[in-house]
Amino acid sequence: MGYKTIIGLEIHTELMTKTKMFCSCANSFGNEANTNCCPVCVGLPGALPVINETAIEYAIKAGIALNSNIITNTRMDRKNYFYSDLVKGYQISQDDLPLCEGGFIEIELGDGTKKVNLQRIHIEEDTGKQTHTTEGDTLIDYNRSGVPLIEIVTKPDMNTPEEARLFLEKLRATLKYIEVSDCKMEEGSLRCDVNINVVDSETGEKTNITEIKNLNSFRGAVKAMEFEEKRHIALLKEGKNTVRETRRWDEVKNETITMRQKLGVADYRFAADGDLAPLVIDNKWIEDIRSNLPELPHDKKERFIDEYNLEPYDAGVLTASKDLAAFYEETIKYVNDPKLVSNWIMGDVLRRLKDEEVEIEDVSLTPKALGQLISIVKDGKINNNTGKKVLKEMFDTGKDPETIVKEQGLIQISDEGELKGIIEKILDENEQSIIDFKNGKDRALGFLVGQIMKASRGKANPQLVNKMLTDMLNER
Amino acid sequence: MDITKLSAFEMKKKLHQKEITSRELIEAHFNKIEEIDGNINAFITLDKTEALKSADKVDEKIRNGERVGLLGGIPIGVKDNIMTKGIRTTCGSKMLENFIPPYNATIVNRIKEADGIIMGKTNMDEFAMGSSTETSYFGNTKNPIDTERVPGGSSGGSAAAVKACEVALSLGTDTGGSIRQPASYCDVVGIKPTYGIVSRYGVVSMANTLDQVGVFGRDVRDAVLMLSSITGYDEKDSTSFKNPEGTIIFGSFPEEIDYNNYLKGMKVGLPKEIFGNEIDIRIKDQITKSINIIEALGAEIEEISLPHLEYSLAAYYIISTSEVSSNLARFDGVRYGYRAKEYNTLDELYINSRSEAFGEEVKRRIMLGTYSLSSGYADEHYKKALKVRTLIKNDFDKAFSKYDVILSPTSPVLPFKFGEIKDPLSMYMADLFTVPVNLAGLCAMSIPCGYVDNLPVGIQLIGDKYKEANIFKAGLGLEGGLKNGL
Ligand SMILES: [Zn+2]
């Protein structure tokens, strides 16, 4: 007995063009409500759309990077429905002729790679943004209305929430690589809907597909999928089925909640938008975009392995985000030791980022400062442990390593005379350890080193301490 | 001398020769409006203050010897579905009763750039749906020729205002005949230009693949003057035509027109499908007289066939209502226009606002279009209608490979009395001969060709895409022939 989960995703991504999809209003986040608006994007009577070519270019870019086929004869359609955040009573979208067909993303699982296939990528305009006040009013900000979007629809190829997470991460990395979207979920520039159901492997019985809408964090998405997976399995076990419905994730209650039931198929009365001429895309344009595409994550990973002699795993982590990869390559310019830099980033830097839940592009640590730090450690001016403390300080204060080392007097003690004094003092204080050492107890040596480092406030050169201590013990 | 009766060209001449001032001209027209419009009801909104201010500017330019635009100082009416910044724009509907647009339609800007004087906004069928201007929320416009009769529609206000000399020129829109049919009923010239040569930016869409802005004037030359002032590519309208040979499709006309030369050698087609149709016999006779004049002036006339024409009305009503249902969705009571006072849910806000503010004809067409586009019916109706549209286009393409102009009556019936036509389907028949032009995106003009039983008859001259010059020539020739009693 067993259950198989089936997951398909629909991802809406805002394209970071300078202007909106069909007018020349600014496409920017965080401005005062309803300030980036014109007759076109608020749907005033008489207003007409004009296609922003950059949005089409970005959508083609995404299509190429996601291995899709670009359809050269396409058009924009009207998707008719009423909603207060929708200004025209229809959304300009694409129906039966999406700009991109097919495509895939490869995700790395423990036992190899898996291909998640895409159904299509189409262009759309975004709607306004609604805020419901506690008094029961609805406020609408139309700054987002008409912002270009691509909707990426996958095939139901994912079988665990973890696979879906890996897919989303890879997708986000790719879109950020090609600089078509900043993919900030918290700002709504990447939004994800999940379609999920479960099959009983023995009986072949399936639950109805549930749609979970408007997930606004990867963590929320995964939790919602896990919740649904359990809910579907529990129902199957009872011989029941789920309702065909749309649900949403409640972050506070940690559960999904019914939004609306799907009674019939919504009839959007799609028809070509006669205000816009059919989109005929020149093959040369596609080739130009293809040849100017930046290095994609997979290619960069291969190059890191070849060029910097990194382990595949490390190269994978370092290239998972364009900014991290750039940070790595920039740091190497300041300390030409790819392996060592990789170790620092893979270890302490990533740990700090994870602890503080920030991205590399959002911290004050610069590649130059990290390079300087690694150089100081490499040159033996400070030891490795002190280096780690300095890095933390750099994260917290943004100061450069030289300043921190100087201010706190952290220069490593490599002076044999000075070290000899410290070692002798410790040996005098710990006669028992000397006896233990002579009796062959290795632990005593570690203890003594620890005491010496402590006495030097961590500044003693560890290699030198080891060597001198052994010599001095043998002399006693 | 009643200066309101002058043609726009004559007004221009007198202004330039400083015989009159634009202020005098505009005041004379406002006086005329004050005197008669209570009866005609051609206007929904007037803007006297702004019009007089503009007139003074033109007068100053003339005084200073500065260059004055093509429409310098001429009084103009603008159909009320065309956005005028700061001037109420209602579309003849309760929905937009108090709507004041924050922007100008491109063509309004062009009129201003050409120094034209906008007098106000003319009455129309609600959202341009109708053939009689009876569906306006602001009351009927009456035909100045016989006030018991309709002026036609939907641009009835613009046609009546020109006929009644309340303005010299006016703007209308034509989706299925809404300029040509009222031109015919009001005894004026109306031009529906080729789709795309006049910007639709700022013109409220009824059926956006059929809608075209056009003009009214009391003679062909005036109408052409008006049209040449507003045509041209507009980057804000994706369907706008970018003329590779420059912006002017038709040249300028000489000061004195010799009508004798225009029709010589022109090939004119008479579609047997139209002339075989049920047409008021009085109209038929009058058209025959015009055909004789055209022939006498040297045109070759032949019968032609447009085999798919009989399906055009059916295709038109499916396509136009489908587009209407989508285009009018934005009037939902959320951002502008009428909002119902009573509602509990969002759906009720939409339903109540739209139920209370849209008139019967608008609702009927929205329902028809919603049905035609809905899944399960779209293939049977909407998509089939699009195929018919292609067949009709092909018919015309074939005809225009041999003929310069195709000729027909503008309307199968004479101007009818208010309330005379009660059945919507019969009303739709008034557009029988004008609708195919919109389906094929062609240009066409209705010019007066005489009276029968004290009622005017209009003749329609149809030209190929971007071949406005052909219908202008034919129109000038015929107009001259008629005037000279040929
Ligand atoms: Zn805008």
Side-chain angles (χ1 to χ4, degrees):
Chain A
M1 59 170 277
Y3 299 94
K4 188 179 175 189
T5 305
I6 301 166
I7 299 169
L9 302 175
E10 287 168 26
I11 299 105
H12 285 91
T13 311
E14 284 185 356
L15 301 177
M16 46 185 188
T17 51
K18 285 197 184 70
T19 57
K20 292 188 183 180
M21 185 75 221
F22 299 113
C23 64
S24 53
C25 291
N27 170 18
S28 64
F29 180 82
N31 295 104
E32 195 190 325
N34 296 310
T35 51
N36 299 331
C37 293
C38 74
V40 176
C41 54
V42 297
L44 286 190
L48 294 173
V50 176
I51 288 186
N52 176 352
E53 255 184 49
T54 312
I56 308 292
E57 183 188 318
Y58 281 14
I60 293 173
K61 233 177 179 179
I64 296 171
L66 299 172
N67 313 295
S68 305
N69 272 329
I70 311 299
I71 309 301
T72 50
N73 276 292
T74 172
R75 59 152 200 261
M76 301 307 297
D77 296 301
R78 290 183 180 184
K79 181 180 181 179
N80 293 284
Y81 66 97
F82 283 98
Y83 205 64
S84 46
D85 62 7
L86 187 68
V87 293
K88 299 185 288 294
Y90 59 85
Q91 181 182 26
I92 304 178
S93 178
Q94 295 193 291
D95 179 29
D96 49 4
L97 292 171
L99 181 70
C100 317
E101 269 179 354
F104 61 87
I105 281 183
E106 278 179 339
I107 53 172
E108 324 251 340
L109 303 177
D111 51 357
T113 59
K114 174 173 179 169
K115 207 182 219 183
V116 176
N117 291 290
L118 307 181
Q119 206 151 33
R120 60 188 284 166
I121 304 173
H122 67 253
I123 306 169
E124 252 177 28
E125 57 175 336
D126 212 341
T127 60
K129 191 178 176 348
Q130 304 201 117
T131 316
H132 305 283
T133 67
T134 44
E135 289 84 41
D137 291 327
T138 300
L139 306 175
I140 316 178
D141 176 7
Y142 291 110
N143 282 352
R144 207 180 70 180
S145 169
V147 165
L149 286 180
I150 48 173
E151 180 174 347
I152 300 155
V153 183
T154 76
K155 292 192 172 162
D157 282 356
M158 288 152 282
N159 300 111
T160 62
E162 175 64 8
E163 286 179 16
R165 187 184 63 81
L166 290 169
F167 172 86
L168 286 169
E169 278 175 358
K170 189 76 176 277
L171 175 70
R172 181 171 64 174
T174 307
L175 295 174
K176 286 179 79 167
Y177 257 81
I178 57 173
E179 293 179 343
V180 299
S181 175
D182 58 14
C183 296
K184 288 184 178 165
M185 282 190 105
E186 68 281 7
E187 291 182 6
S189 65
L190 187 130
R191 309 193 287 274
C192 171
D193 299 343
V194 176
N195 285 304
I196 183 168
N197 68 334
V198 171
V199 189
D200 185 325
S201 320
E202 261 169 47
T203 62
E205 201 150 346
K206 284 180 188 172
T207 53
N208 282 318
I209 296 170
T210 305
E211 185 182 27
I212 321 170
K213 272 226 178 278
N214 305 330
L215 292 157
N216 55 14
S217 73
F218 281 5
R219 198 188 299 175
V222 170
K223 279 184 174 172
M225 284 183 264
E226 285 168 352
F227 180 89
E228 276 304 295
E229 194 175 34
K230 277 190 203 123
R231 194 174 69 87
H232 283 237
I233 291 171
L235 282 163
L236 272 182
K237 278 182 178 161
E238 291 175 41
K240 289 180 187 160
N241 201 341
T242 50
V243 185
R244 253 188 75 92
E245 64 181 354
T246 301
R247 296 172 77 87
R248 66 176 180 84
W249 176 244
D250 187 316
E251 247 167 51
V252 183
K253 293 183 184 154
N254 263 306
E255 61 184 36
T256 64
I257 293 164
T258 299
M259 268 172 82
R260 57 178 178 265
Q261 293 195 356
K262 292 196 168 177
L263 296 171
V265 185
D267 185 359
Y268 291 117
R269 290 174 281 116
F270 277 107
D273 191 332
D275 286 338
L276 297 162
L279 269 174
V280 180
I281 290 155
D282 192 359
N283 273 312
K284 192 185 164 292
W285 195 26
I286 301 175
E287 284 322 307
D288 281 353
I289 295 171
R290 192 189 302 277
S291 57
N292 287 318
L293 216 57
E295 192 178 27
L296 294 173
H298 180 77
D299 301 328
K300 200 178 282 262
K301 178 184 166 186
E302 295 299 310
R303 181 168 66 81
F304 274 28
I305 296 169
D306 285 353
E307 199 172 324
Y308 305 127
N309 224 347
L310 300 179
E311 295 299 322
Y313 175 79
D314 294 1
V317 173
L318 289 174
T319 56
S321 124
K322 187 178 191 175
D323 292 310
L324 188 65
F327 189 94
Y328 171 74
E329 291 202 280
E330 189 66 18
T331 308
I332 292 172
K333 289 185 190 159
Y334 297 96
V335 48
N336 188 15
D337 192 336
K339 185 73 199 155
L340 188 60
V341 172
S342 165
N343 288 345
W344 272 86
I345 293 179
M346 294 289 292
D348 284 80
V349 173
L350 283 182
R351 198 173 307 127
R352 296 284 318 172
L353 293 177
K354 202 177 165 220
D355 288 350
E356 291 177 22
E357 293 183 356
V358 286
E359 303 287 335
I360 190 76
E361 61 267 33
D362 300 326
V363 297
S364 55
L365 181 72
T366 62
K368 186 179 177 185
L370 180 65
Q372 284 171 342
L373 173 67
I374 297 171
S375 292
I376 300 170
V377 176
K378 203 179 169 189
D379 295 347
K381 280 193 194 153
I382 59 173
N383 66 41
N384 216 39
N385 274 333
T386 308
K388 290 179 179 196
K389 281 178 207 148
V390 173
L391 181 67
K392 183 178 183 303
E393 190 77 16
M394 285 160 70
F395 258 103
D396 294 343
T397 64
K399 285 181 186 168
D400 67 89
E402 308 264 11
T403 311
I404 296 168
V405 167
K406 205 181 285 170
E407 274 176 6
Q408 305 194 0
L410 298 175
I411 297 285
Q412 177 161 277
I413 305 165
S414 297
D415 180 90
E416 292 196 19
E418 196 180 343
L419 284 176
K420 197 170 180 188
I422 298 169
I423 296 169
E424 266 172 356
K425 185 167 169 277
I426 296 297
L427 289 177
D428 291 346
E429 287 167 4
N430 294 283
E431 280 184 28
Q432 186 56 44
S433 295
I434 301 170
I435 295 160
D436 289 347
F437 175 78
K438 301 262 178 197
N439 289 335
K441 286 187 184 166
D442 286 346
R443 262 194 312 172
L445 190 68
F447 173 76
L448 288 168
V449 169
Q451 293 299 306
I452 295 159
M453 292 309 287
K454 201 172 163 188
S456 75
R457 296 198 318 185
K459 292 189 290 180
N461 180 332
Q463 284 86 26
L464 215 50
V465 167
N466 265 316
K467 187 175 158 291
M468 288 172 69
L469 179 63
T470 320
D471 290 348
M472 287 164 75
L473 277 168
N474 288 335
E475 277 164 24
R476 287 220 173 191
Chain B
M1 179 188 60
D2 182 355
I3 52 176
T4 64
K5 286 189 173 154
L6 298 172
S7 76
F9 262 87
E10 289 163 343
M11 290 176 192
K12 270 170 65 117
K13 207 170 177 183
K14 289 198 185 300
L15 285 167
H16 284 285
Q17 291 171 350
K18 296 181 184 157
E19 287 176 31
I20 52 170
T21 64
S22 179
R23 176 173 265 272
E24 279 166 13
L25 193 59
I26 298 307
E27 277 176 344
H29 282 88
F30 274 117
N31 290 341
K32 177 65 90 42
I33 291 169
E34 211 162 283
E35 182 191 321
I36 64 167
D37 205 55
N39 190 27
I40 305 287
N41 197 27
F43 282 92
I44 293 174
T45 307
L46 290 167
D47 189 14
K48 195 169 177 179
T49 319
E50 201 51 43
L52 287 173
K53 222 190 269 173
S54 305
D56 288 343
K57 270 185 208 155
V58 172
D59 285 335
E60 201 186 320
K61 275 190 186 177
I62 293 173
R63 266 202 309 280
N64 298 339
E66 287 172 47
R67 225 182 68 88
V68 179
L70 216 49
L71 298 172
I74 308 294
I76 292 165
V78 174
K79 190 177 179 181
D80 212 20
N81 58 351
I82 297 168
M83 293 295 130
T84 41
K85 187 176 177 180
I87 307 173
R88 179 170 81 134
T89 299
T90 69
C91 286
S93 181
K94 183 179 180 183
M95 181 60 87
L96 293 177
E97 189 177 359
N98 300 307
F99 179 68
I100 295 172
Y103 78 109
N104 273 334
T106 298
I107 44 173
V108 168
N109 284 330
R110 291 208 169 140
I111 289 175
K112 287 171 177 280
E113 282 157 22
D115 292 320
I117 314 293
I118 294 173
M119 306 285 284
K121 308 299 292 291
T122 58
N123 203 359
M124 58 184 283
D125 277 305
E126 186 181 2
F127 283 103
M129 294 174 213
S131 306
S132 63
T133 316
E134 284 172 288
T135 71
S136 170
Y137 175 67
F138 300 90
N140 302 331
T141 292
K142 295 187 182 73
N143 193 325
I145 296 161
D146 176 350
T147 51
E148 279 178 26
R149 292 178 189 269
V150 304
S154 62
S155 311
S158 289
V162 168
K163 179 63 193 175
C165 298
E166 294 176 329
V167 289
L169 302 166
S170 65
L171 285 183
T173 60
D174 188 317
T175 306
S178 283
I179 287 175
R180 290 157 287 158
Q181 185 252 19
S184 167
Y185 288 7
C186 291
D187 191 39
V188 294
V189 174
I191 304 172
K192 179 258 172 226
T194 307
Y195 186 79
I197 78 162
V198 179
S199 167
R200 288 188 299 114
Y201 186 80
V203 179
V204 180
S205 291
M206 173 190 155
N208 51 314
T209 70
L210 300 158
D211 295 342
Q212 185 56 61
V213 175
V215 299
F216 292 97
R218 285 190 291 272
D219 62 28
V220 175
R221 200 160 57 148
D222 273 10
V224 174
L225 168 75
M226 179 70 179
L227 187 59
S228 42
S229 315
I230 57 166
T231 48
Y233 175 71
D234 179 11
E235 59 177 15
K236 285 182 177 168
D237 176 356
S238 305
T239 61
S240 175
F241 175 62
K242 216 173 190 172
N243 183 13
E245 279 129 46
T247 49
I248 298 169
I249 295 177
F250 33 92
S252 57
F253 290 96
E255 194 72 4
E256 294 305 322
I257 293 166
D258 181 7
Y259 67 91
N260 271 306
N261 293 325
Y262 286 115
L263 279 157
K264 256 179 210 143
M266 204 174 249
K267 289 192 164 166
V268 177
L270 305 180
K272 62 177 184 196
E273 289 79 5
I274 286 183
F275 286 91
N277 230 298
E278 272 188 43
I279 304 171
D280 187 316
I281 190 71
R282 295 168 293 177
I283 294 177
K284 229 176 196 172
D285 289 347
Q286 199 62 28
I287 299 290
T288 308
K289 284 180 196 163
S290 292
I291 292 170
N292 292 338
I293 293 174
I294 289 170
E295 207 161 20
L297 288 170
E300 282 176 48
I301 296 194
E302 273 174 48
E303 190 181 77
I304 61 162
S305 172
L306 301 166
H308 298 93
L309 218 60
E310 59 172 309
Y311 307 110
S312 48
L313 211 54
Y316 171 77
Y317 274 96
I318 289 172
I319 293 167
S320 68
T321 55
S322 297
E323 292 181 7
V324 158
S325 72
S326 176
N327 288 326
L328 264 62
R330 68 184 64 200
F331 303 102
D332 58 5
V334 174
R335 292 163 306 284
Y336 48 78
Y338 181 86
R339 182 185 288 182
K341 302 227 165 15
E342 312 236 331
Y343 57 88
N344 292 312
T345 64
L346 185 57
D347 279 348
E348 270 179 31
L349 165 66
Y350 300 142
I351 294 166
N352 296 355
S353 301
R354 288 166 70 83
S355 301
E356 291 164 27
F358 281 147
E360 199 186 338
E361 182 61 25
V362 170
K363 283 181 201 163
R364 176 165 30 245
R365 297 202 197 190
I366 290 172
M367 290 308 293
L368 279 169
T370 303
Y371 177 82
S372 296
L373 275 186
S374 56
S375 72
Y377 300 100
D379 288 336
E380 206 177 313
H381 295 101
Y382 180 66
K383 285 177 189 162
K384 202 175 265 179
L386 291 180
K387 284 180 192 156
V388 171
R389 184 177 190 172
T390 306
L391 294 174
I392 291 167
K393 272 185 195 168
N394 295 344
D395 280 359
F396 276 112
D397 282 347
K398 222 175 121 195
F400 281 119
S401 68
K402 275 181 81 180
Y403 298 92
D404 301 308
V405 169
I406 293 171
L407 203 146
S408 85
T410 306
S411 169
V413 294
L414 291 164
F416 44 91
K417 289 187 173 169
F418 286 105
E420 194 178 328
I421 301 181
K422 292 192 175 66
D423 165 25
L425 281 180
S426 307
M427 186 72 93
Y428 296 169
M429 293 301 282
D431 300 334
L432 191 61
F433 304 146
T434 47
V435 152
V437 168
N438 299 74
L439 287 171
L442 308 169
C443 61
M445 169 161 69
S446 175
I447 70 167
C449 67
Y451 275 74
V452 288
D453 298 336
N454 297 319
L455 295 171
V457 177
I459 187 166
Q460 178 176 229
L461 308 169
I462 306 170
D464 200 2
K465 289 189 201 74
Y466 317 120
K467 297 279 176 62
E468 266 77 0
N470 283 343
I471 57 170
F472 297 162
K473 282 184 209 159
L476 285 166
L478 176 59
E479 190 180 59
L482 285 162
K483 225 182 267 171
N484 290 281
L486 269 186

